[in-house]
Amino acid sequence: GSGSGTECGRVLRDMARPERTLFRLERGFELQFRLGPTLQGRAVRVYTNYPAQGQKFDRSRFRSLEWINPTRGEADSEKFCKLDLEVAGSYQYYFGCGCVDEDRAGSGYIVVDPVLHVGPSSQVLPLNCITSQTYLAKCLGPLDEWLDRLRVAKEAGYNMIHFTPLQPLGQSRSCYALTDQLELNPDFSPPGKSYTWTDVGNLVARVKTEWNVLCITDVVYNHTAVNSEWLQLHPECGYNLVNTPHLKPAWVLDRALWHFSCDVADGKFCHQGLSALIEDEKSLSVLRTVLWKEVFPQIRLWEFFQVNVDKTTEQFRNLLKEGCKPVSGSARDLPDLNVVPDPQNRRFGSTVDMSAALEHFARNGCFGVHVVIAYDIPECCMMFRRRLEEINAEFYKQMCCHLEQATNCIVGNVVYERLADHGPKLGPISRQHPIVTMYFTFPFEETSLQQEMHLMHEADKACYFMTLNGWVMGDDPLRSFAEPGSHVYLRRELICWGDSVKLRYGEKPDDCPYLWARMKEYTEITAKHFAGVRLDNCHSTPLHVAEYMLGVARAVRSDLYVLAELFTGSEQLDNVFVTRLGITSIIREAMSALDSHEEGRLVYRFGGEPVGSFVQPSLRPLVPAIAHTMFLDVTHDNECPIQVRSVYDTLPCAAIVSMACCATGSTRGYDELVPHQISVRKEERFYTKWNPEATPSSVEEVNLQTGIIAGKLALNRLHQEMATKGFTQVYVDQADEDIVTITRHNPHTHQSVVAVCRTAFKNPETHHFREEVPAVFIPGQVEEVMLEARTVQRNTVSYVKDERSINGLRSYTVEIRENIQVQDSNVVKKAEVIPKGHGEFVHKIEFGHLTPGSVVLFRVNLDLNSQEMVGILRGHLAQFSQQYKAGSLPDPKGPEILKTNLKLLMSKLSLADLNMLLFRCEAEENEDRGGCYNIPSWMSLKYAGLQGMISVMSEIRPKNDLGHPFCENLRQGDWMIDYISNRLVTKDGPLQEVGKWLQAMLIHLKHMPRYLVPCYFDAILVGAYSTALDAAFKQMSRFVQNGSTLVKQVALCSVQMCGVGRVPALPSLSPSLHDVPHRLNTVTHQQEQCCVSIAAGLPHFSSGIFRCWGRDTFISLRGLMLLTGRHLEARNIILAFAGTLRHGLIPNLLGEGVGARYNCRDAVWWWLQCIQDYCKLVPNGTSILTCPVSRMYPTDDADPQPAGTGEQPLYDVIQEAMQRHMQGIEFRERNAGPQIDRNMRSEGFNVEAKVNLDTGFVYGGNRFNCGTWMDKMGESDKAHNRGIPATPRDGSAVEIVGLSKSAVRWLAELHRNGLFPYCSVTIDRAGQLVCVPYEDWNRKIQENFEKLFFVSHDPNDPSEKHPDLVHKRVIYKDSLGASSPWCDYQLRPNFTIAMVVAPELFSVDRAWKALEMAEQKLLGPLGMKTLDPDDMVYCGIYDNALDNCNYNVAKGFNYHQGPEWLWPVGFFLRAKLCFSKRLGEDVYGQTVRLAKNVLSQHYLHLERSPWKGLPELTNKNGQYCPFSCETQAWSVATVLEVLYDL
């Protein structure tokens, strides 16, 4: 909002069309449009008709908004375009992905509320401060006397006056039947004077300036009075029989009913049992019979729909004689015969489509043979005639249905008007009170029905037969019930007002220029003189008309207050009007409630947020709102509350309304206790005047002793005070069936106003109410009774309705006392403070005289201790947000730890400490004999650290879901509070200090009311969490620090995945390295190394021996460590694994080194790739090559050695790995058998990894083991796949070839630059030493790769050894030389890895085609399919628990045969980015958009996942897989690499 930098974001989503969703904003907000996931990476343009600065608003003029990207642009998640909202009104936006106006992917509306001003200094009147009172203008008398009558509103505390229309009234004298919209009602001018709109405007301005009261009035666009003179000059402005001929049948019925009514009134049907006085059901039955026997047959309405059978048949016969034939050759599948209605809607005027008639009937017997001889014509005409008669019969039946409904409506109208107890009881049928209200004007002399029927064919007369207006129960408010397609008038469904003609605007001003111009001028007059308008009958006013007129009004007065009555029956439909028209407030009424519970619910629904709501960030999503409400105790056109309920309910009802956090209102007469409805049609008396000296017996004057005016004054003042001072939170409670308790709460000062209202829906004088009143428990300290009031009977004088003035019940008044101490109350019997928990108190209030009709309001504060605690806490929270300044207190005696800035404490934490502070899943915590916090009624949190709570609260906070089990747990006890601090204060060093800070902050929560605990708990944790994140990012690279939100979120996974457990997962490094982190072992009390390790995935691979895997670690290390700037930790991991080298391999499962398994062929190559990346990315990175490596296994057969026993420089270890591969690695795993793998067959334990000397390709494995990342081993006996790898990928796996090429190329470069001492590997071949230079090895791979791996588009490619196995072309094989040759040709995503690490292997054109195939076949929403979906064994659903007889899926055998893994998508995108650069800017731009679009799905997942990570895999099409790790190291690492490349 103004001055606070508040911003709201509207996320654009593809095909989002929220016209029925309301987005409300105050002036001064910045509205940002951001791209939803499906739009990121696309060329989206946002257009709006919100005017540019200095421009006037034009609804049809749209402009595009410029995109702002505050980051480098690696992701579209940061992009936004914005509007600074300074002009009130309704504005539209739309967005598209093309450059033409029609390309709209979505659209919506924004409503900007006006700012109202009152008083001489134009102070702001907030919308929630409004208290309005309605006046029937005709009851104000001459303009000279208005101020005396309007003063009642001022003295009763109202700040807005609503006038019904001030124009001349029609013959019915209804306030809303206006004869001339442009003139002031002459009744306001006394003899000798002629007041104008200027005089009214002056009065309105005086009231605004001197009284601080705004004036609004109605605008009536939907109808005009029957006797409007201008309408007789411009009949085109109404719906008449000329411009709307479909109404002719309805008009005929209307006239017939009039004549029938006159005949009934004249007694012509008495002999049939139907007299003028209808008294019982028998008369109603006779009425139905007579209508069907006498009236309907006479007017034959079905003829208006029917076809002239003779004429049409003859026309058809003539066509046949002329030789006309069907166009099509077949009679099959023809559309039905199309009836064309007569545009003039004459009897038998409908026709049929003759071309369709020929298709159907110009055939011999309709068997498909064209008519060629004359004797076929009669048969065809006979069949055609028969079909016409069927059509006419259908129309007859249809009309009978209409008339059946008309009969029901006519009878229902008679029942209401003449029989019902709640109806007007009109008595006998007469010309003044006919059977039904007429629907059409008839401005001519009455004749017989037969004679009148001729008039509808005379245009100069038929144009004056115009429809009257009314309302239709349950009708669609978005269409006009007088337009073609609606049969409301024919079916007699309209509840007609009888005095107003419905106006016909058409679709645009050109359709009825005079009417549009007249109403435009009417609108301008109104907007000039009044602060706002009330849209009368808004739900029946054509939307486009109201839209146009309000645009006119806002051009005159930009901050126009727009009030509307809407009876659509649906909040969504209401929103269509609110959004399109920019309605400020819609009217709701307490009188609509049937009991006190429903009345209280209305307060909760339409006013305020819940007590104890969370504090929302200043930049927050724009969420759908409910329309702002003006909540009235009663509206001026509704029944009198005294008649419907009781006189005693007026005060509690007014109090309930006043406690709502919205605009409120009433109608004149309510406060004076006028015991009848002040009719908008019949009332002609004047309102009473204000006179402070008037006596209670005065009829023409009122003051504070009259009715409940004194009570209303106090309530109106309170309502305005609460809104002004920020009492924005509301709580409604039902003490019993009659007592409603409403709390208004200030979230800054935590002061409350509590209203206890005892309603009286039934009269206490005739209905027995319970004498026992339940006690009320109010949290905190009751400071005073602000108001206690009740309606009392002061005498028994009978009510006499005055002839000149609108007078109320003088026998009742209100007893009122304000600002008294609780002990002095006449209503409260006993008040005592009761402790509730530690340090919390509630006030128990027992009532002695809370009689029906009573109201008690308490001013409540927190108890002194809570006040202090909350104030001090707010003072400390102010370091995170200035919004906590209000209500804050200093803390000079507070603990020393709180005097230290949290930023300083957090800055001392290492990233490993931050892993402990923020994350750690259940298994990690279990190592320390702890666990994640469990909410018994719900679930355990995902993390023990702050992220566990933050993930839940980020879901709860925007919705204010205070009923969530998480919030309930916080309110019920201090367990979660203690858990957070206890977990940390037992640690050492800086982490303990942060724990102490949290402990000192959280202890304040133990000494405040429990309903406040969730919001302040959230505030503390959000502050600490944000500070921790800042501290983490400050320790990371500039890439992260300057990166987008997505970069930071993914980089945070580095903290999530990298930590130190109770037992270090990595083997010890060389003692000669002096910058290795150490800690004190709590068991041995000795210093031990504590290097960070990377968990493969959470929660399954996070602790113990299953935490660290060579392959996972080194696929992840570049993204999680090197790109984030964690260079030292990356070095330590590289050296630790180097120390475990054995057989020339890096272990798969590390098992702390001593339990390592050397059963994978690829981990060593990923390790080498990471060393290469380290050397290139880290300043002076090549120094790692000379770092000492402490060899755990100096020889293949050695037992594990302690650190420092045998050391080598890293370059020697690298050389050994290369040498061993070229020599050939072949061994059997130690302890082979079920003790290390219960599923593997004996042959699978044989490990082989060698280099083909002809091609340079690394190869290995066998069909019983799986040495690459696709390592699923069969384990189902039912399916007979136990011990069989699903994807052995033996031979030369494509990614290993790429990684080895990258390694030998790099080593050759290092040697050339003098950084690596070896230029070759030397091997023993048949007893002779053979030297293989790295340059030669590199060249061999280069020369042979595409020749042997690329599957050409040419089926005769001579390089192809197995052309019969090729089923996808222009791809790269997944392997070469597999034991099952078919597997070589399967399309998988692994070749993209080789493209990234060794792009020189690939020709650009071939690479691009292969990548396009991968995109088409493998790319999913989050990951890559691991197998071509066209493959016979593809299955995209991974279910590790399923054990059946299906070989391909049992026990998750399809782990890598279709499910969509996330980490390959990183390499796919990086490969596309790499090769697209070589194909030109356009291709590169398209690829960037693709990458951003894919990354947006990852962003969305990160936002929504409570784990705040990316999963290991998904099932097909991105479906959730319950067997996947919820967050996986390599998934986030490779996404971060894409962002780095971008």
Side-chain angles (χ1 to χ4, degrees), residues 194-299:
S194 181
Y195 288 123
T196 65
W197 286 113
T198 302
D199 299 302
V200 171
N202 291 337
L203 182 143
V204 167
R206 182 179 171 188
V207 166
K208 174 183 175 181
T209 304
E210 297 180 8
W211 292 1
N212 291 354
V213 174
L214 293 178
C215 294
I216 67 171
T217 188
D218 285 281
V219 283
V220 185
Y221 295 124
N222 208 24
H223 53 253
T224 190
V226 170
N227 59 323
S228 299
E229 291 182 10
W230 63 270
L231 193 60
Q232 303 310 309
L233 298 173
H234 294 278
E236 76 277 5
C237 297
Y239 289 92
N240 59 52
L241 302 192
V242 176
N243 60 25
T244 322
H246 86 282
L247 293 170
K248 286 179 179 177
W251 179 81
V252 170
L253 177 60
D254 198 55
R255 296 310 301 160
L257 290 173
W258 167 257
H259 287 280
F260 170 61
S261 183
C262 294
D263 290 344
V264 173
D266 294 342
K268 293 184 180 179
F269 292 98
C270 288
H271 65 284
Q272 294 189 35
L274 183 61
S275 66
L277 185 62
I278 296 178
E279 297 182 291
D280 51 30
E281 284 289 333
K282 184 178 179 182
S283 300
L284 295 175
S285 179
V286 174
L287 172 61
R288 284 181 180 273
T289 302
V290 173
L291 284 171
W292 280 93
K293 285 189 175 180
E294 304 287 342
V295 179
F296 299 158
Q298 180 186 6
I299 54 179

Side-chain angles (χ1 to χ4, degrees), residues 225 616 926 1114 1385:
Q616 304 298 336
N926 287 343
F1114 293 110
Y1385 294 87

Side-chain angles (χ1 to χ4, degrees), residues 22 471 475 477-478 534-543 546 562-589 592 606 626-630 632 635 637:
L22 173 60
W471 65 281
D475 194 46
L478 298 179
R534 175 184 177 271
L535 291 173
D536 177 63
N537 204 23
C538 180
H539 50 281
S540 294
T541 303
L543 259 176
V562 181
L563 180 66
E565 58 168 359
L566 287 169
F567 301 112
T568 68
S570 156
E571 281 191 22
Q572 278 199 333
L573 265 181
D574 284 352
N575 285 344
V576 174
F577 288 87
V578 174
T579 56
R580 291 275 300 274
L581 304 183
I583 293 169
T584 316
S585 308
I586 58 175
I587 293 168
R588 304 295 186 200
E589 186 182 18
S592 65
F606 301 121
I626 61 168
H628 185 261
T629 300
M630 178 178 279
L632 291 96
T635 56
D637 50 5

Side-chain angles (χ1 to χ4, degrees), residues 1366-1411:
V1366 174
H1367 55 285
K1368 281 276 189 306
R1369 296 197 174 274
V1370 294
I1371 66 169
Y1372 287 89
K1373 296 172 187 172
D1374 188 57
S1375 57
L1376 185 71
S1379 54
S1380 174
W1382 166 263
C1383 295
D1384 287 347
Y1385 294 87
Q1386 290 180 309
L1387 175 62
R1388 297 184 187 271
N1390 297 307
F1391 70 89
T1392 63
I1393 300 167
M1395 284 181 169
V1396 171
V1397 298
E1400 69 273 13
L1401 289 174
F1402 300 81
S1403 59
V1404 175
D1405 290 343
R1406 288 178 170 183
W1408 193 251
K1409 288 174 182 174
L1411 286 167

Side-chain angles (χ1 to χ4, degrees), residues 88-103:
S90 167
Y91 303 102
Q92 191 177 3
Y93 70 86
Y94 71 87
F95 57 93
C97 302
C99 49
V100 293
D101 180 77
E102 289 74 21
D103 182 21

Side-chain angles (χ1 to χ4, degrees), residues 17 20 39 71-72 76 226 277 407 420 484 671 787 797 938 1066 1146 1193 1389 1467 1481:
R17 300 191 181 276
R20 296 194 175 202
L39 296 175
T71 62
R72 295 177 301 255
D76 278 356
V226 170
L277 185 62
T407 304
D671 301 344
L787 170 72
V797 176
W938 189 48
L1066 298 180
I1146 291 293
Y1193 302 105
F1467 281 93
E1481 287 186 13

